[in-house]
Amino acid sequence: MKPNFALKLSNDGVELLHRASGGWSPVGSVDFENDDVAEACAALVAKAELLEPGGLRTKLVLPDSEVRYTSIVAPGPTDEARRFQIEDEIERLTPYRIEELAYDWSVEDDYALVVIAARETLIEAETFADGYGFNPVAFVAQPEPGQFSGEPFFGETMVAPTLLPAGQHVQPDVEPIRILRG
């Protein structure tokens, strides 16, 4: 299952995006400083429900300020060996234990392009999105070209099992979100 909406989070607000041919179209945004957040979020949810009467499910796009991109030497030779090499280096690079982090990687030769986020950040993002009715089902990041190959995927939200049909899971997109601007 691929969500038809994405909620792009920032420290200043959120922007709701709708899946479209060739990318993602803006639906609207909420400015935390100037908008009544509850009212503006309710209006975005209502717009989304008009666009997709079958149900609103969103993937949460973490802000760049809350993720870390790095390149790690991880020759493997197996995926399991590569995962251990990546986890060892992540623990050296961050003040967190590996259990406190979510991460994804893509491979380029003997290197792994890695993106890391604190689980507490995921919880905060999910709490906000769920509380305002955006029905969050997964976490992703939006890398700049060369930072990652594909869409960084941090997994499903804790509420995803209650929002997805039985037995279904969120599938990451092959490419990162590309916003279509008029």
Side-chain angles (χ1 to χ4, degrees):
M1 179 272 166
K2 292 190 181 207
N4 279 333
F5 291 94
L7 189 65
K8 187 173 180 186
L9 305 162
S10 77
N11 296 324
D12 303 324
V14 297
E15 181 178 25
L16 186 64
L17 307 169
H18 183 241
R19 191 182 295 274
S21 178
W24 294 79
S25 296
V27 174
S29 60
V30 177
D31 181 320
F32 291 154
E33 192 166 316
N34 298 312
D35 293 333
D36 176 314
V37 175
E39 185 178 299
C41 285
L44 280 182
V45 168
K47 278 185 182 180
E49 289 171 343
L50 288 174
L51 289 169
E52 295 282 344
L56 166 66
R57 292 183 195 96
T58 59
K59 59 181 173 180
L60 303 179
V61 185
L62 300 177
D64 283 342
S65 62
E66 299 297 324
V67 297
R68 179 173 180 176
Y69 294 93
T70 190
S71 177
I72 295 173
V73 176
T78 65
D79 282 344
E80 186 176 340
R82 184 172 278 124
R83 183 174 56 80
F84 286 123
Q85 293 159 355
I86 290 167
E87 288 180 353
D88 283 347
E89 189 61 22
I90 286 172
E91 284 195 331
R92 279 193 273 280
L93 291 172
T94 70
Y96 297 95
R97 293 186 326 267
I98 201 69
E99 306 81 48
E100 298 173 300
L101 299 168
Y103 66 95
D104 194 9
W105 81 83
S106 59
V107 177
E108 282 193 6
D109 300 320
D110 284 346
Y111 290 87
L113 300 176
V114 180
V115 59
I116 308 161
R119 290 201 182 276
E120 65 189 320
T121 299
L122 304 183
I123 292 167
E124 289 171 10
E126 179 176 351
T127 300
F128 171 86
D130 189 44
Y132 285 106
F134 289 104
N135 296 339
V137 294
F139 303 100
V140 301
Q142 187 180 9
E144 294 293 324
Q147 285 184 308
F148 198 83
S149 179
E151 178 178 64
F153 186 74
F154 295 110
E156 293 182 353
T157 62
M158 290 183 284
V159 297
T162 66
L163 299 170
L164 299 172
Q168 283 198 8
H169 293 282
V170 177
Q171 298 172 340
D173 284 306
V174 174
E175 296 296 322
I177 288 176
R178 185 167 99 24
I179 300 173
L180 304 171
R181 302 283 182 196

